[in-house]
């Protein structure tokens, strides 16, 4: 199949989160299966044009109000894709919309006021790009709210004509995080050039505002999200962010496919960031990683004391209030009352950074580094005995999968993709790959960390078996890519296209 990924991010060119990793990794895996996969993203100011190839002639894109936007188009092969069948990446270069610092906003303006227009133009330009390169996809696969208007244009502007080059193109829309929806004033809608009848038919209307994500959910042929459990959760009032009714309405066309991880990068058998590689057959390297981790954070070096690691964004979604909140968070009690060591790498909300810095100065067994380091994140995954993720919600989650393949047992809340990837410890049988709790509150985190620490000191044989069971899990992108191929084929059959 010919597959076009429409995204606002793709590594290594532009990234703010896991969306960028997923789009690139899935595309590379699909290309390895023999499909013709291409990606289109904006050419942001941060994307260096010197490594790109400029396509001849400027590209015009008709928008509402008789406006025609002109842009350049650049291209490059995706690094890491096969030379015989490389993933082509196209960059829409519109200086006014994308020639600025930041993808969605800047430190001064966290959400650009013209984001609705920026990404509406981007979605319309996708179709002009296909005409320019004379390549028409079988599958248009859009990701998150910045690409949500692409399936709207496909359904209400392109496929309405039986002579359209896109008459046999189907659309897939992937939700990476339902909490981000692209809601703007409806005065921006005229710019789309679709007419006000489509505003309501396509699902843009949201309490007198314009909701780009909602329109994608209404208009795409099939919808999916990044884990089966998150697909079910988002159909509930608690996790639906006001769109649970839409997702229940589209439930027959809505599913979850678990993200994979890059096992070329996250693999203890060949990790360049840890002191010594290790595997299920030889775990000596994990012990050396633990010793190196303790040294890195200035902790007493001891193989007997369990180390709990965290690599996280310090935001409400990650449960940091219940863990580090002043006067009520459980981190102080965990470190004061339990014989363990806790290490953290992360950055985010200022209050949380300050609280963590204060705790680390008062607790001898809690050490933290504010910021991010790729090398240090690998060392934490390899050197820790447990990995703490008390997420409020987690569409898929990657760190728990990294932890599992490194033999580091996750301590997680039972939500989203954490449920799909972690099996709770069974004291009767010794089965499981981690430790889970239901309710997000300080006492639940405290009790579950205590349970894991108890198992460390009293059920070490079970801990070792759990480690090996965790490391044997298959979280490769190849497995996920095959499920996406099934979804593409199912969608084409449902539309009467063979």
């Amino acid at each position: 199949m010919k597959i076009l990924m429409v995204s606002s991010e793709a590594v290594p060119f532009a990234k703010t989160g896991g969306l960028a990793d997923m789009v690139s990794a899935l595309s590379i895996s699909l290309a390895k299966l023999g499909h013709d996969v291409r990606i289109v993203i904006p050419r942001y100011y941060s994307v260096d044009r010197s490594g790109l190839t400029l396509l001849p002639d400027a590209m015009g894109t008709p928008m509402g109000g008789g406006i025609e936007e002109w842009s350049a188009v650049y291209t490059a092969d995706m690094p890491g894709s096969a030379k015989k069948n490389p993933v082509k990446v196209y960059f829409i270069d519109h200086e006014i919309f994308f020639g600025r610092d930041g993808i969605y906003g800047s430190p001064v303006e966290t959400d650009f006021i013209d984001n609705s227009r920026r990404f509406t133009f981007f979605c319309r330009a996708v179709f002009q790009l296909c005409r320019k390169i004379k390549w028409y996809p079988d599958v248009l696969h859009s990701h998150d709210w910045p690409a949500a208007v692409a399936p709207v244009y496909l359904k209400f502007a392109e496929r309405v004509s039986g002579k359209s080059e896109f008459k046999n193109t189907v659309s897939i829309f992937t939700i990476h995080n339902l909490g981000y929806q692209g809601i703007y004033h409806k005065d921006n809608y005229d710019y789309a050039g679709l007419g006000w009848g489509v505003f309501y038919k396509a699902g843009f209307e949201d309490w007198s505002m314009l909701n780009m994500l909602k329109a994608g959910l209404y208009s795409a042929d099939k919808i999916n999200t990044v884990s089966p459990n998150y697909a079910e959760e988002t159909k509930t009032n608690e996790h639906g962010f006001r769109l649970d009714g839409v997702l229940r309405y589209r439930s027959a066309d809505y599913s979850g496919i678990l993200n994979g991880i890059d096992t070329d990068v996250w693999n203890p058998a060949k990790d360049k960031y840890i002191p010594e590689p290790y595997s299920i057959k030889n775990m000596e390297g994990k012990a050396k990683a633990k010793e190196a981790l303790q040294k890195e954070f200035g902790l007493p070096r001891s193989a007997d004391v369990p180390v709990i690691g965290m690599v996280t964004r310090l935001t409400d979604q990650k449960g940091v209030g219940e863990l580090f909140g002043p006067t009520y968070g459980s981190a102080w009690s965990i470190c004061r009352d339990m014989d363990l060591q806790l290490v953290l790498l992360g950055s985010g909300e200022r209050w949380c950074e300050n609280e963590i810095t204060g705790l680390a100065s008062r607790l001898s067994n809690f050490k933290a580094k504010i910021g991010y380091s790729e090398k240090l994140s690998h060392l934490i995954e390899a050197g820790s005995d447990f990995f703490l993720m008390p997420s409020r919600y987690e569409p898929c989650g990657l760190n728990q999968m990294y932890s599992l393949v490194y033999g580091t047992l996750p301590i997680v809340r039972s939500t989203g993709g954490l449920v799909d990837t972690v099996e709770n410890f069974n004291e009767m049988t010794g089965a499981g790959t981690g430790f889970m709790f239901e309710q997000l509150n300080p006492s639940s985190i405290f009790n579950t960390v205590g349970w894991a620490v108890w198992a460390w000191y009293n059920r070490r044989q079970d801990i070792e078996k759990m480690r090996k069971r965790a490391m044997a899990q298959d979280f490769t992108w190849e497995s996920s890519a095959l499920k996406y191929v099934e979804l593409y084929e199912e969608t084409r059959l449902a539309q009467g296209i063979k």
Side-chain angles (χ1 to χ4, degrees):
M1 285 179 282
K2 292 184 290 185
I3 303 159
L4 180 61
M5 298 288 180
V6 184
S7 175
S8 55
E9 304 178 25
V11 292
F13 305 104
K15 176 181 176 177
T16 65
L19 164 65
D21 296 300
M22 182 273 195
V23 168
S24 297
L26 175 58
S27 298
I28 291 170
S29 296
L30 289 167
K32 286 179 179 177
L33 294 173
H35 301 285
D36 182 359
V37 187
R38 308 193 185 191
I39 301 172
V40 56
I41 67 171
R43 206 291 295 182
Y44 303 105
Y45 181 75
S46 58
V47 179
D48 185 5
R49 283 182 289 201
S50 65
L52 311 178
T53 300
L54 175 65
L55 297 187
D57 302 324
M59 182 176 76
T61 301
M63 303 303 297
I67 297 170
E68 188 162 24
E69 302 284 5
W70 290 90
S71 58
V73 177
Y74 290 85
T75 186
D77 288 348
M78 170 63 70
S81 60
K83 290 183 179 180
K84 289 184 178 179
N85 186 26
V87 174
K88 292 281 186 185
V89 184
Y90 295 92
F91 303 84
I92 307 298
D93 186 20
H94 188 290
E95 190 67 25
I96 294 175
F97 283 153
F98 305 121
R100 59 183 84 172
D101 290 327
I103 293 178
Y104 311 111
S106 67
V108 177
E109 186 182 4
T110 55
D111 187 43
F112 290 133
I113 195 170
D114 61 345
N115 270 347
S116 171
R117 291 179 173 237
R118 295 172 74 225
F119 291 107
T120 296
F121 156 72
F122 169 64
C123 290
R124 190 73 185 103
V126 165
F127 297 92
Q128 296 301 93
L129 168 67
C130 293
R131 292 185 173 98
K132 180 179 178 66
I133 62 176
K134 294 181 172 56
W135 181 90
Y136 303 98
D138 299 309
V139 178
L140 181 79
H141 189 163
S142 300
H143 299 264
D144 261 2
W145 73 264
V149 184
V152 179
Y153 278 121
L154 178 65
K155 182 175 182 178
F156 291 97
E158 297 294 346
R159 281 197 324 214
V160 291
S161 169
K163 296 180 180 180
S164 169
E165 303 95 333
F166 299 93
K167 65 179 184 295
N168 291 325
T169 300
V170 298
S171 61
I172 305 293
F173 183 68
T174 297
I175 305 166
H176 292 260
N177 189 329
L178 195 64
Y180 300 97
Q181 299 181 9
I183 301 174
Y184 299 96
H185 199 280
K186 68 179 181 181
D187 285 353
N188 291 288
Y189 179 72
D190 274 331
Y191 181 71
L194 287 166
W196 282 94
V198 173
F199 181 79
Y200 299 99
K201 286 194 291 184
F204 281 104
E205 195 275 331
D206 186 0
W207 293 94
S208 296
M209 298 291 281
L210 177 154
N211 187 320
M212 297 170 75
L213 181 80
K214 181 168 172 267
L217 299 183
Y218 264 101
S219 302
D221 295 320
K222 294 282 186 181
I223 313 163
N224 86 295
T225 190
V226 291
S227 72
N229 190 61
Y230 189 61
E232 293 305 310
E233 285 182 347
T234 50
K235 290 186 281 187
T236 68
N237 182 62
E238 181 183 0
H239 296 284
F241 289 94
R242 301 185 306 108
L243 295 181
D244 48 293
V246 178
L247 292 170
R248 288 193 299 272
Y249 169 70
R250 296 289 323 265
S251 61
D253 300 314
Y254 183 38
S255 62
I257 297 176
L258 189 71
N259 278 347
I261 62 173
D262 188 340
T263 50
D264 288 330
V265 175
W266 293 96
N267 185 340
K270 54 183 180 181
D271 193 327
K272 63 183 180 181
Y273 292 120
I274 63 177
E276 185 178 296
Y278 64 93
S279 65
I280 292 177
K281 295 180 180 178
N282 184 351
M283 296 285 284
E284 290 182 10
K286 186 164 181 65
K288 292 187 177 180
K290 180 175 180 177
E291 184 179 349
L293 179 63
Q294 290 170 325
K295 181 180 179 181
E296 175 72 29
F297 278 87
L299 290 164
R301 279 175 262 181
S302 171
D304 297 327
V305 175
V307 175
I308 298 177
M310 292 187 72
V311 179
T312 185
R313 287 183 290 112
L314 303 176
T315 64
D316 181 65
Q317 179 196 337
K318 301 300 181 179
V320 296
E322 289 73 13
L323 187 58
F324 296 114
T327 73
Y328 70 93
S330 57
W332 173 267
S333 299
I334 287 170
C335 293
R336 181 194 61 189
D337 298 343
M338 300 183 200
D339 189 8
L340 54 74
Q341 295 172 346
L342 178 60
V343 299
L344 178 145
L345 174 67
S347 63
E349 296 179 17
R350 185 62 59 86
W351 76 262
C352 195
E353 291 183 359
N354 293 338
E355 185 67 20
I356 285 169
T357 301
L359 286 172
S361 69
R362 302 196 304 272
L363 292 164
S364 61
N365 59 343
F366 173 50
K367 303 294 180 182
K369 296 196 177 186
I370 302 300
Y372 182 75
S373 161
E374 185 74 7
K375 180 178 180 180
L376 199 52
S377 65
H378 282 248
L379 185 60
I380 290 173
E381 291 288 8
S384 300
D385 299 297
F386 302 97
F387 193 93
L388 180 57
M389 283 182 74
S391 302
R392 186 172 306 280
Y393 69 96
E394 198 67 62
C396 176
L398 294 175
N399 279 104
Q400 85 279 8
M401 289 191 274
Y402 299 155
S403 299
L404 289 163
V405 299
Y406 279 76
T408 299
L409 304 181
I411 302 171
V412 301
R413 181 169 177 243
S414 56
T415 185
L418 303 178
V419 172
D420 293 312
T421 50
V422 181
E423 180 188 352
N424 204 13
F425 175 52
N426 186 320
E427 288 185 25
M428 298 296 292
T429 65
T433 57
F435 299 82
M436 306 181 75
F437 58 94
E438 292 283 342
Q439 299 301 317
L440 179 57
N441 54 57
S443 61
S444 292
I445 299 172
F446 179 90
N447 291 335
T448 310
V449 170
W451 184 28
V453 171
W454 170 85
W456 172 267
Y457 285 112
N458 296 280
R459 303 283 288 272
R460 280 296 285 278
Q461 285 187 330
D462 286 341
I463 292 291
E464 296 306 319
K465 289 177 182 176
M466 290 170 72
R467 277 181 167 174
K468 293 185 176 182
R469 192 177 301 118
M471 294 176 73
Q473 304 295 306
D474 178 13
F475 296 121
T476 60
W477 264 110
E478 287 73 15
S479 175
S480 298
L482 288 170
K483 292 178 182 177
Y484 272 101
V485 172
E486 290 178 12
L487 177 61
Y488 298 156
E489 291 174 342
E490 174 190 325
T491 307
R492 289 178 63 75
L493 284 173
Q495 295 296 316
I497 303 167
K498 295 183 179 180

